[in-house]
Amino acid sequence: IGKWHMGDSAKPRPGYDYWVSFAGQGKIVDPELYEDGGLHQVSGYITDLLTDRAVDFVEKRRDRSKPFCLFLGHKAIHPDTVQRADASIDMSAPMGYLAAPRHRGRYADKVYPKARSADPVDASRIGSEVLRRIMQRKSSPDTLREFGATMNEGADQQGIRDRAEMMLAVDESIGRLLTTLDAQNLADDTVFVFTSDNGYFFGEHGLTVERRFPYEECIRSPLLFRYPAQFQPRDQVDDLVSMIDIAPTLLQLAGIPLTPNLQGRSLVPLATRTTDSWRSSVLVEYYSHDQPMPWVLDVDYRAIRTQRHKLIHWVQYPELDELYDLDADPLEMQNLAGRADTRELRTALRSELLRLVGESLSL
């Protein structure tokens, strides 16, 4: 149910018994949904409409003789955008973050405190030569002419308030689903996972709409598990985990054997405190194909994150590696890659990065 966004079509994909989705980015108000065999325009607010269908599935549509897996992908907190089939954005169409009517103005008097890495933004506060080049392209006359104010959509104080108000409907969605599971006597035997595909920049490192960079604001996403049968409430795991760990975790909890070629590791041993052995580093990588933001088309990267350090290797700019000590510099403002006293550390991190990349390619 909800945003699929792999290709522009809203039609059902293989493997699902019940399907409700929309083309591309969809619409916030009165969207066109594909359900019950075809496209239909439906009146209402998108977050509420998708939640209604998720609740209805749990209450009425699921096969009660079998376990079920429900995926709910909210459009929130994306703005209204018209995205073409080639993934580019129609800049002539209206855009904006729009909360549900009942939530608009809830945070009208609130101010989001900006990080030192965002205020003020100037070249001296950016420790990355790659980012400086991106900022130059972003501020070029051609880019400004084509994209204008949308380049920093949602990063000013009003935009941040709009996003926060938009998120309130997602909070309510989670509450409604948990209440429904309780009412159906399913809560204690259901694994409930909440996460997001990426974080956001509100000016940190000079970034706003870009969202796909290897800095902490982007790569640290919320990941919450609720499973009363095995997991203790309010227990926090501080070890390094990755999105690719979700699949093996759910498979193990469902009693399905994990095959050797499966990427990621089950989080069950971490969640149940039954292991003393865990990974000491994690791979983060991205390969640019970002039609909406042509100023970042050459920022492919592979990065390694440990508990204390991060090494970023830019594929097109191998001479411009970045190294950060996250204990001493959590805002990632001081690039240590050029210092002689970090040579041994850089060598060790590069070796570990190479190992992780090789491991991912061998599966």
Side-chain angles (χ1 to χ4, degrees), residues 29-334:
V29 177
D30 299 341
E32 193 173 53
L33 299 180
Y34 190 105
E35 58 182 335
D36 297 328
L39 281 167
H40 313 278
Q41 186 168 30
V42 185
S43 298
Y45 186 71
I46 185 63
T47 305
D48 298 337
L49 295 172
L50 297 178
T51 304
D52 290 343
R53 283 147 179 81
V55 168
D56 181 67
F57 174 83
V58 174
E59 290 180 337
K60 303 171 186 175
R61 292 192 181 236
R62 64 186 171 87
D63 183 345
R64 293 173 183 267
S65 68
K66 299 178 181 179
F68 69 92
C69 178
L70 171 65
F71 175 84
L72 172 59
H74 279 300
K75 173 179 170 59
I77 53 176
H78 292 85
D80 252 340
T81 6
V82 176
Q83 192 158 13
R84 305 184 183 99
D86 67 353
S88 62
I89 297 294
D90 181 356
M91 304 307 299
S92 65
M95 301 184 191
Y97 296 88
L98 189 62
R102 63 188 179 277
H103 295 141
R104 293 174 198 167
R106 177 76 63 86
Y107 297 132
D109 61 342
K110 303 299 182 184
V111 175
Y112 180 83
K114 291 294 189 81
R116 283 192 304 113
S117 57
D119 187 21
V121 174
D122 60 57
S124 66
R125 287 184 176 268
I126 299 176
S128 165
E129 175 60 28
V130 171
L131 283 181
R132 281 194 281 270
R133 295 179 185 185
I134 289 168
M135 292 304 107
Q136 288 174 355
R137 290 199 295 262
K138 188 176 180 180
S139 60
S140 71
D142 289 344
T143 306
L144 290 171
R145 186 164 42 251
E146 181 176 358
F147 292 91
T150 62
M151 289 191 302
N152 296 312
E153 185 82 39
D156 60 359
Q157 287 295 331
Q158 186 56 51
I160 294 171
R161 286 190 284 267
D162 291 342
R163 291 191 193 192
E165 291 172 356
M166 199 174 182
M167 197 67 185
L168 289 170
V170 177
D171 293 344
E172 293 175 351
S173 173
I174 294 169
R176 287 184 61 194
L177 280 171
L178 291 173
T179 298
T180 302
L181 291 172
D182 278 330
Q184 296 290 313
N185 295 314
L186 294 170
D188 289 345
D189 199 33
T190 299
V191 183
F192 195 102
V193 185
F194 175 84
T195 190
S196 176
D197 54 353
N198 55 257
Y200 290 88
F201 295 107
F202 294 143
E204 298 89 350
H205 318 285
L207 300 168
T208 51
V209 297
E210 289 81 6
R211 303 196 303 285
R212 295 175 177 90
F213 280 77
Y215 303 107
E216 295 294 279
E217 296 84 1
C218 181
I219 68 172
R220 295 194 66 175
S221 297
L223 178 59
L224 308 176
F225 277 82
R226 183 183 188 272
Y227 186 36
Q230 291 194 34
F231 301 161
Q232 294 297 313
R234 294 176 295 278
D235 194 17
Q236 180 171 315
V237 174
D238 294 320
D239 296 84
L240 295 167
V241 304
S242 172
M243 289 292 183
I244 60 173
D245 296 332
I246 295 175
T249 303
L250 297 181
L251 290 173
Q252 180 175 349
L253 290 171
I256 300 171
L258 305 183
T259 58
N261 64 335
L262 185 66
Q263 291 190 316
R265 298 177 62 176
S266 170
L267 301 175
V268 172
L270 282 185
T272 56
R273 306 295 180 177
T274 55
T275 181
D276 294 324
S277 174
W278 194 249
R279 63 166 70 98
S280 59
S281 61
V282 67
L283 171 68
V284 184
E285 59 182 347
Y286 180 73
Y287 297 91
S288 303
H289 55 276
D290 210 338
Q291 287 286 1
M293 303 169 204
W295 58 91
V296 296
L297 279 174
D298 60 346
V299 291
D300 301 354
Y301 62 79
R302 292 168 172 163
I304 180 172
R305 168 71 151 81
T306 70
Q307 288 287 6
R308 178 172 178 178
H309 294 104
K310 181 188 297 175
L311 178 75
I312 303 169
H313 176 71
W314 304 100
V315 176
Q316 280 95 333
Y317 304 103
E319 76 284 3
L320 297 178
D321 279 2
E322 296 172 30
L323 173 66
Y324 298 100
D325 182 337
L326 299 173
D327 284 353
D329 178 29
L331 298 180
E332 299 168 284
M333 297 173 66
Q334 300 296 321

